[in-house]
Amino acid sequence: NDHEGPIRDISVVHSNLATCSNDGTVRLRSVDTGTSISTLVFLQQQHPPMLFQNGDLATCCDDGVLRIFTKATDRMAPVAEREQFAQKVQEAHQKKSTGPTPEEIAKLPLWEHNASRPGSSEGQVHVFNKGGIAVAAQWSAASRTWIEVGQVMGSSDGGMIDGEAFDHV
């Protein structure tokens, strides 16, 4: 697996395979060898792509935006829009490697108040601000408490837990 996260889905795209991953990429692959031919990089976790008969590729990811990629120059987005998207992708991937900012941590609920925020199910994960550090905690229904798991760190191998995005802990 040459993705930096688990492969979420595989689909047939013309005579190639397309794999999508939690690492925010779609890789087009040779059906014969499985080797990667090209890679599309996105902001977030990617869902299975769909190919249109005209060769365009539709994708969507956890940011809720449907994107269509084409080789036809008359249907391409303006250059400024493509450059802006590339910049956003680069920033998102840099963000994954640096972890939460002080501003993001300041917006998290305080650890000292976690008793007032009971979990909704066993094993639920939530992030709190503990002394200016982002910490992940898991809900224990048996003890009705949050159990600290660890500090949220920047890493490229983060993922989703119960629909919430996390960096590596």
Side-chain angles (χ1 to χ4, degrees):
N1 176 8
D2 55 356
H3 283 287
E4 292 179 15
I7 294 175
R8 294 177 50 94
D9 206 313
I10 299 174
S11 55
V12 176
V13 177
H14 288 304
S15 59
N16 296 314
L17 296 174
T19 57
C20 62
S21 171
N22 291 357
D23 67 2
T25 64
V26 171
R27 293 184 185 269
L28 298 177
R29 302 172 178 282
S30 162
V31 171
D32 298 326
T33 64
T35 56
S36 183
I37 298 168
S38 64
T39 303
L40 297 172
V41 182
F42 298 91
L43 299 170
Q44 299 177 356
Q45 179 171 296
Q46 195 56 39
H47 298 281
M50 180 180 158
L51 185 74
F52 294 103
Q53 289 183 358
N54 65 1
D56 292 354
L57 186 71
T59 66
C60 61
C61 63
D62 284 354
D63 66 357
V65 177
L66 171 69
R67 293 181 176 87
I68 299 177
F69 292 86
T70 185
K71 291 182 180 180
T73 56
D74 61 322
R75 292 194 308 272
M76 286 184 182
V79 172
E81 190 175 327
R82 293 188 312 230
E83 288 173 351
Q84 181 183 27
F85 176 70
Q87 179 66 30
K88 285 183 179 180
V89 168
Q90 182 180 13
E91 289 169 4
H93 285 272
Q94 286 175 340
K95 169 76 179 104
K96 284 174 74 174
S97 66
T98 60
T101 65
E103 293 80 19
E104 292 168 328
I105 293 171
K107 293 177 185 176
L108 294 171
L110 296 174
W111 177 256
E112 296 79 27
H113 301 152
N114 69 18
S116 66
R117 298 181 63 96
S120 58
S121 63
E122 178 69 31
Q124 177 187 1
V125 175
H126 195 72
V127 180
F128 293 93
N129 175 345
K130 185 176 181 183
I133 297 171
V135 294
Q138 187 172 32
W139 179 251
S140 168
S143 66
R144 303 215 25 90
T145 59
W146 289 101
I147 299 168
E148 187 175 338
V149 176
Q151 182 177 349
V152 177
M153 307 292 290
S155 174
S156 62
D157 63 349
M160 298 289 286
I161 301 175
D162 294 332
E164 192 169 351
F166 290 93
D167 288 330
H168 178 79
V169 177

